[in-house]
Amino acid sequence: MIKKKICYIVFVFVCIILNNCTKPISKEDSITHNNLPDKIHQAILEIETDDSIELAIEVLFFIDNEKIVFKDSCILGEIAFLRAVKIYYLNGEESYLDYALNGLKLSEDCNDFKLKAQLNNLIGIFYYKKRDYITAEKYLKKSVFFGEQTLDKSFVIDTYYTLCHLYIAMLKWEELKGVAKKAITDINTSGMKPKRLKFFYIYWAKAQYFTGEYISAHKNLKRALVETKKIDTLEYRNIESYKEEDYKVYRNIYINYSQLYKIEKKFELALRYRERADSLLFFFNKLDTRKKMTFLEIEKSLKDEVILIKNQQIFNQKIIVVGSILFVLMSVCSIYRIYTSSKKLKIALHQKEVLNGQVENNLNQLKITHKELGVKKNKIEYLLKLNEQSIFTKTLKISTYKDAVNNVMSIISELIDTNDKVGVNKLMPINIALRNIISEEEIWEDFKIDFEKNRPNFFKKLLNIHPALSITEQKHCAYIVINLRSKEVATILNLSPRSVETIRYRIKKKLKLKTITLFDYLNKL
């Protein structure tokens, strides 16, 4: 019994080890094969809403490391977009164009307007940097077309941002005003991309001061400062207190203030803001370098994690091998135990079959015996019935004899009383002899003997319970037990049926019977 328990404990332990070792090692909210499409969409959304490509790097690393191949053209287009963005952010190489064009081609059959807007915007940026402004404007307008068909305006706001840069390079100030105003309206209406708002105020101000709207330009530059939490345009804060994400904004605002004051011929203010802008250049470049280093660190940490997972998998495989060996040994042990148990079970079943055969034979014998006993019982019941009938007949005959003797005795008594010629001395002995023939006591004893052949100890039981019963009442009880009706008893005793009923009523009253009949009560004795 103890060995069996130990075997079960080892078996459960092996199962737990195998279960834990075969579980994939993953951190919370990690990328898996099941949630990969959702992670791709989430990565694209983070690029658009937060300008963050950290999740995109993780997604692409997972796809490349697992060598996952998709057949859906829409998902392939999204992956191409992520690869293009990654190259654009990290290296700034122009090779991202191939991914962007391939993604645009793959997305032709998709109804994903957001993806089309993003890809056209990315291609427009490429041609803008190549100074091919005509081609850049064509792709950017396509991006605006697709972006304006979506409810999420964040996808078109980025295109407005690129278009502003394009129109600045092309010196199209009126077009720049229109795009900046449209972008500001969309941001204020939808609440999307609020961080871009300050840039559009800057671009709007630039278009205004190049078209002579100096006062409006000042207002929009001040709005840009308000958006970056710098209310007083003349206040100069310690550079080290700036938040890193504000470096680019402040530098851009200061450059535009410098240009505005230069056009207004306020050269001292122009020089002061130019110096501020130049002082931020170092921190801006440092921030850009730090961002690239962060992305590289993400890739490195992902590679280290893959190595760790592989080492853990090797360790798990070793444990699985050991567990498998233990499992095989346990299985062999269990099979042997099952074999021996089955053998014992077969022997027990054979013994059970033998016993069942014996029981069946005994049962058949019992049935035969029961049948024979039934026949004997019927015979006994028949004999008892005959005996009861014999008792009834005998009783009836005795009664008849008694009546005949009594009649003879009555005649003799009458002769003695009325005829003097008859000798009294001669008739009296005859009368006495006749009286002795029909002695009541002998008749009663003979009746009891015959009756108790069918009902052993009946009178003894009756008198033990009811000792006050007379011999006549005992006789009536016997007549009731053998199921003699009142008329039959009346004939035997030479009484009227009413007298017999009266006697029976008195017996019932004497026995204190209320709910049960005399027949049922006496039959139970």
Side-chain angles (χ1 to χ4, degrees), residues 88-283:
Y88 174 74
Y89 270 80
L90 291 181
N91 305 320
E93 296 178 1
E94 296 176 356
S95 60
Y96 73 84
L97 178 65
D98 295 334
Y99 287 111
L101 289 171
N102 184 44
L104 192 61
K105 184 178 179 181
L106 290 167
S107 66
E108 286 178 358
D109 297 329
C110 299
N111 292 324
D112 193 345
F113 295 123
K114 296 177 182 179
L115 179 62
K116 291 179 180 180
Q118 290 168 316
L119 289 166
N120 278 291
N121 180 46
L122 205 56
I123 297 169
I125 292 171
F126 172 82
Y127 285 108
Y128 162 71
K129 289 188 175 182
K130 297 291 289 184
R131 298 181 184 276
D132 186 352
Y133 299 143
I134 303 301
T135 306
E137 187 176 18
K138 181 183 75 173
Y139 279 103
L140 291 173
K141 284 184 176 180
K142 284 183 181 180
S143 178
V144 170
F145 171 76
F146 289 118
E148 288 180 343
Q149 295 185 55
T150 63
L151 295 175
D152 189 353
K153 297 300 180 183
S154 62
F155 295 92
V156 73
I157 288 168
D158 279 345
T159 306
Y160 289 150
Y161 181 79
T162 308
L163 268 174
C164 287
H165 284 273
L166 177 66
Y167 288 138
I168 289 170
M170 296 175 71
L171 304 180
K172 291 186 176 182
W173 308 118
E174 294 300 327
E175 288 83 348
L176 178 61
K177 284 182 191 178
V179 172
K181 287 168 67 176
K182 184 74 169 65
I184 291 168
T185 302
D186 285 349
I187 291 172
N188 289 329
T189 303
S190 66
M192 302 301 295
K193 292 278 188 178
K195 291 182 180 179
R196 294 285 193 199
L197 191 60
K198 50 202 169 192
F199 293 106
F200 290 114
Y201 279 123
I202 294 170
Y203 301 146
W204 193 4
K206 183 184 283 290
Q208 286 172 331
Y209 66 67
F210 274 115
T211 55
E213 301 175 25
Y214 304 132
I215 297 174
S216 296
H218 276 286
K219 288 181 180 179
N220 282 325
L221 286 175
K222 188 172 182 180
R223 286 172 185 166
L225 284 171
V226 170
E227 290 300 322
T228 51
K229 299 180 182 180
K230 187 171 179 64
I231 298 180
D232 186 0
T233 57
L234 297 179
E235 179 185 357
Y236 180 70
R237 297 189 301 172
N238 185 355
I239 291 174
E240 292 180 359
S241 67
Y242 289 149
K243 295 180 180 178
E244 290 184 348
E245 62 267 21
D246 295 336
Y247 291 158
K248 185 176 180 179
V249 182
Y250 284 118
R251 186 170 184 277
N252 202 340
I253 292 171
Y254 294 156
I255 288 173
N256 279 279
Y257 262 121
S258 178
Q259 289 178 342
L260 175 58
Y261 284 129
K262 185 177 179 181
I263 292 171
E264 290 179 330
K265 300 188 183 302
K266 297 178 180 179
F267 298 111
E268 186 177 347
L269 287 174
L271 180 61
R272 186 187 303 174
Y273 276 97
R274 189 66 199 187
E275 287 174 349
R276 290 182 181 180
D278 291 341
S279 66
L280 290 173
L281 182 61
F282 170 75
F283 293 98

Side-chain angles (χ1 to χ4, degrees), residues 28 41 55 75 98 108 111 113 127 130 143 173 217 234 251 281 289 292 302 334 370 396 413 419 484-485 511:
E28 188 178 355
H41 299 322
L55 183 57
I75 294 179
D98 295 334
E108 286 178 358
N111 292 324
F113 295 123
Y127 285 108
K130 297 291 289 184
S143 178
W173 308 118
L234 297 179
R251 186 170 184 277
L281 182 61
T289 303
K292 290 181 180 180
L302 290 171
S334 299
H370 179 71
L396 189 60
S413 296
N419 196 338
L484 290 179
R485 290 176 293 180
L511 299 181

Side-chain angles (χ1 to χ4, degrees), residues 35 74 93 138 198 250 289 310 319 351 355 401 403 407 413 438 449 515:
N35 69 2
C74 295
E93 296 178 1
K138 181 183 75 173
K198 50 202 169 192
Y250 284 118
T289 303
K310 285 183 178 179
I319 293 178
Q351 292 174 348
L355 289 173
Y401 293 155
D403 290 340
N407 287 333
S413 296
I438 57 170
I449 291 167
T515 59

Side-chain angles (χ1 to χ4, degrees), residues 323-375:
S324 300
I325 293 170
L326 290 174
F327 182 76
V328 169
L329 292 174
M330 288 290 297
S331 300
V332 171
C333 180
S334 299
I335 291 168
Y336 177 73
R337 293 181 70 86
I338 291 169
Y339 171 74
T340 54
S341 299
S342 63
K343 195 172 180 180
K344 291 179 181 178
L345 183 62
K346 285 180 181 178
I347 295 170
L349 287 173
H350 177 69
Q351 292 174 348
K352 184 179 179 182
E353 288 175 359
V354 172
L355 289 173
N356 286 338
Q358 292 175 354
V359 169
E360 190 173 353
N361 291 332
N362 293 335
L363 184 62
N364 292 330
Q365 290 294 329
L366 285 173
K367 286 181 180 178
I368 294 168
T369 305
H370 179 71
K371 191 174 181 181
E372 291 175 351
L373 289 173
V375 173

